[in-house]
Amino acid sequence: MIYNDQDSEIGEREAASNYQIVTNFVLQPGYYEGVDVKEKKGADRYDRLYEELQATDGVVADEQAAMDILQSVGRRSWDNDDKNSCTVHSAVYNLTKKSVLWVSNENYGDPTAVFEFTLGE
């Protein structure tokens, strides 16, 4: 993934912020043109994440606070039409520490399922 802030590629809302959100939703303007809103799978979760971060100008207290936001839109807990699915990967990147906090299969509350990886100095 690369940072892209060109409005024509990602949309004005995303280009105006200093943070990025990634879900299983395509951002490309015009991609869903003429498509029923129900066919925009993942858009509702993406919008919720964006709203949460916009409320704090993209600043969260720490990695756990960011993970809590991701947990709030996990597919098992989210009101969606596919109850048999789950969020396979949740990751929070800390660019200052050069680390990632990663949880698989929505095991947010299980400390044995939460991993932190850090790049060496």
Side-chain angles (χ1 to χ4, degrees):
M1 173 174 45
I2 60 170
Y3 186 80
N4 184 347
D5 65 354
Q6 295 181 21
D7 294 358
S8 63
E9 299 295 323
I10 61 172
E12 292 180 26
R13 179 176 73 168
E14 291 76 15
S17 61
N18 292 323
Y19 47 86
Q20 287 189 316
I21 304 164
V22 179
T23 65
N24 56 335
F25 173 68
V26 178
L27 287 175
Q28 180 70 37
Y31 183 86
Y32 294 104
E33 194 169 309
V35 175
D36 186 320
V37 70
K38 291 180 181 179
E39 297 303 315
K40 291 179 161 183
K41 305 287 186 196
D44 54 347
R45 294 170 55 242
Y46 177 88
D47 289 341
R48 171 70 184 277
L49 291 170
Y50 187 86
E51 289 167 9
E52 290 283 335
L53 289 174
Q54 186 181 32
T56 61
D57 198 26
V59 177
V60 291
D62 54 27
E63 289 92 340
Q64 186 57 54
M67 193 60 77
D68 290 345
I69 294 171
L70 292 178
Q71 181 177 0
S72 74
V73 295
R75 291 193 54 88
R76 288 182 183 153
S77 61
W78 192 251
D79 184 20
N80 65 73
D81 60 356
D82 187 4
K83 298 294 184 192
N84 293 321
S85 65
C86 75
T87 299
V88 178
H89 304 284
S90 295
V92 175
Y93 298 91
N94 183 321
L95 300 181
T96 303
K97 290 178 20 181
K98 298 179 184 171
S99 65
V100 60
L101 187 64
W102 178 76
V103 176
S104 69
N105 300 321
E106 297 186 49
N107 290 304
Y108 303 102
D110 179 358
T112 65
V114 178
F115 299 90
E116 184 172 8
F117 302 97
T118 305
L119 290 175
E121 296 290 321

